[in-house]
Amino acid sequence: MPQRRSHVSSSAAQSQLAEVLATLREGIEAPVEFPPEAIAEAQAASAATPGLDLRDVPFVTLDPLGSKDLDQAFHLARAGSGYRVRYAIADVPGFVTPEGAVDAQARLRGQTLYLADGNIPLHPRVLSEDRASLLPDAERPALVWTFSLDAEGSRTDFRLERALIRSRAQLEYVSAQASADRGEDEHLALLREIGELRRAREAERGGASLNLPDEEVVLRTDGHYDIERRHPLQIEDWNAQLSLMTGMAAAELMIDAKVGVLRTMPQPDDAAFERFRRQTQALGRPWISGRYGEYLRALDKADPLTLPVLEAAASLFRGAGYVTFDGELPAGDLSQAAIGAPYAHATAPLRRLVDRWSLAICLAVSEGRPAPEWARESLAELPGLMQQSAQRASTLGAETINRVEAALLQPLIGQTIEATVIELRGEDRAAVQIAHPAVTATAPVPAGTAPGSSVRLRLVAADVTDGAVEFAA
């Protein structure tokens, strides 16, 4: 399930909320610091120099401003009536020794945890933000996917090779979007062209991308908190389409070889769809007909209520998990419902444990070798390790959002608030959607209240320290 992320701005750095979030971070039941042996191993780690030299290819990276853990770099070109896409992934399998100290720590963590005031990395920062990161003007070994696309953006061929690359520039979303809008960068113009074609192919598959916004918690001059939501940019979706294409290719390789790990997700059930419909109605942007993917794609990005709708849509993306196999494919549908095809996590090895397995297996298959023994021996452990880390991230995210929303509601204590019932939770309680501020909460409602009904609630309490919010009917 996609995660909402909240960030504390500098204006709120010394506020009560920032102190509460710092306390929350300290209470995480997860390793935060790396032991000396893992740090030493990471500092000494080096990946073998690849035989293929692609340093003359002008790769670039595209990430949020200030990112240091750069997993992917791309280069795009026209090829006849179609396109050639090179997508380079950080060679984390080349840096991490199986069953070594760094590997042991990564298995304990599962993924990088993102907090309102920073992150807790999957690998020591000397690897994730330096030696293995695809930083600009630095020679790096990488696992390079090369895709041939036709004029419609459909994949016609692909290969995976280990190569030496050198990224030319570290682009960030806001300025890159502005450059693309001005039409002054041919490479970004190609990203737009290919990204839109891949979005069309996604629609044909019945896929539904969900690009959740970043949120920044700010302390206003009147002493009240607020959330500033950054609208998702088109360029983020175009960039995501390259990653999705790579994940589908990785799944295809592993399925053909009958060894690997897939990311799966079932179709949402009727109850989830009905809940989401009520939320869209409560927000004044009702989903009436068509597939939910079509509805999400048609949302007006300039509409301030689009972001709360996207956050509500996250409930449709529940149930995702991992399935592993070695020698025999699992029974049943192997597709990831939101993508509309089999899919594997294979593009973020600096930040997600499972990607290292996917990449190591895919490279071996591409080179005609058996999957690495270390990967096959530990495949069965991956779903459990990733589930634990996902639960940790989900709990942390939920507790963070609860505290942020309590801070948003605090100025309204004692006031009456209009809300819409989206789901009953017993005879006299329900999940409700508040439009302004856009908050989902549990509140008492009169007996017999039906989902979709409007209710008037009085806000009794909103405690920033634990995120608890209390309403009276």
Side-chain angles (χ1 to χ4, degrees), residues 3-4 24 391-405 466-467:
Q3 301 280 335
R4 291 169 64 185
L24 180 61
Q391 288 175 342
R392 186 183 300 127
S394 178
T395 299
L396 176 62
E399 291 185 358
T400 298
I401 291 297
N402 286 345
R403 286 157 175 78
V404 171
E405 290 182 337
D466 63 5

Side-chain angles (χ1 to χ4, degrees), residues 312-397:
S315 64
L316 301 177
F317 291 73
R318 289 183 175 138
Y322 295 92
V323 59
T324 62
F325 50 96
D326 189 356
E328 184 176 344
L329 294 178
D333 186 7
L334 298 180
S335 293
Q336 210 274 23
I339 293 171
Y343 174 73
H345 275 154
T347 62
L350 291 173
R351 295 170 283 153
R352 196 168 47 211
L353 178 71
V354 66
D355 298 51
R356 177 154 52 97
W357 273 251
S358 298
L359 288 167
I361 293 170
C362 285
L363 182 62
V365 171
S366 296
E367 295 177 344
R369 298 182 287 106
E373 198 61 33
W374 67 263
R376 299 178 72 168
E377 289 176 351
S378 51
L379 265 178
E381 302 173 24
L382 280 178
L385 294 175
M386 294 308 299
Q387 182 180 18
Q388 290 174 10
S389 69
Q391 288 175 342
R392 186 183 300 127
S394 178
T395 299
L396 176 62

Side-chain angles (χ1 to χ4, degrees), residues 60 62 74-78 82-85 149 171 175-198 234-235 238-239 242:
V60 298
L62 179 59
F74 64 87
H75 177 260
L76 312 174
R78 297 192 186 279
Y83 309 89
R84 182 182 64 201
V85 175
L149 308 181
L171 306 181
S175 61
Q177 181 71 66
S179 180
D181 291 342
R182 291 191 297 266
E184 60 188 25
D185 188 308
E186 183 178 354
H187 205 201
L188 295 181
L190 273 176
L191 179 60
R192 178 198 296 269
E193 202 170 315
I194 294 169
E196 290 298 339
L197 289 172
R198 292 302 301 177
Q234 287 180 304
I235 202 166
W238 304 333
N239 191 41
L242 302 183

Side-chain angles (χ1 to χ4, degrees), residues 19-94:
E19 294 173 1
V20 167
L21 295 177
T23 301
L24 180 61
R25 173 180 180 145
E26 294 169 1
I28 296 172
E29 293 184 3
V32 175
E33 302 299 330
F34 287 91
E37 58 269 24
I39 297 291
E41 184 178 287
Q43 291 172 335
S46 62
T49 302
L52 179 62
D53 189 345
L54 294 180
R55 286 176 294 177
D56 60 333
V57 176
F59 285 97
V60 298
T61 60
L62 179 59
D63 295 274
L65 180 66
S67 296
K68 296 180 180 179
D69 49 354
L70 309 183
D71 284 292
Q72 313 109 13
F74 64 87
H75 177 260
L76 312 174
R78 297 192 186 279
S81 61
Y83 309 89
R84 182 182 64 201
V85 175
R86 284 192 173 111
Y87 204 53
I89 309 299
D91 184 17
V92 178

Side-chain angles (χ1 to χ4, degrees), residues 400-429:
T400 298
I401 291 297
N402 286 345
R403 286 157 175 78
V404 171
E405 290 182 337
L408 281 178
L409 290 169
Q410 209 171 51
L412 304 179
I413 291 175
Q415 297 183 26
T416 300
I417 300 173
E418 295 281 347
T420 301
V421 175
I422 56 177
E423 183 181 61
L424 296 178
R425 294 180 176 173
E427 294 183 0
D428 59 356
R429 294 188 70 77

Side-chain angles (χ1 to χ4, degrees), residues 30 48 69 102 243 248 255 376 389:
D69 49 354
V102 172
S243 180
M248 288 187 284
I255 288 173
R376 299 178 72 168
S389 69

Side-chain angles (χ1 to χ4, degrees), residues 114-177:
Y114 292 93
L115 304 96
D117 56 351
N119 67 48
I120 301 174
L122 174 65
H123 302 101
R125 295 187 192 277
V126 68
L127 280 184
S128 62
E129 298 181 359
D130 186 5
R131 304 185 65 183
S133 179
L134 303 183
L135 298 169
D137 298 319
E139 295 183 359
R140 292 288 186 265
L143 303 177
V144 180
W145 299 81
T146 302
F147 299 96
S148 297
L149 308 181
D150 64 18
E152 302 300 316
S154 295
R155 196 190 74 208
T156 59
D157 192 20
F158 74 91
R159 66 180 183 272
L160 172 62
E161 303 163 293
R162 192 166 178 271
L164 189 65
I165 73 162
R166 182 167 63 88
S167 172
R168 297 297 196 275
Q170 181 177 352
L171 306 181
E172 57 88 15
Y173 289 132
V174 176
S175 61
Q177 181 71 66

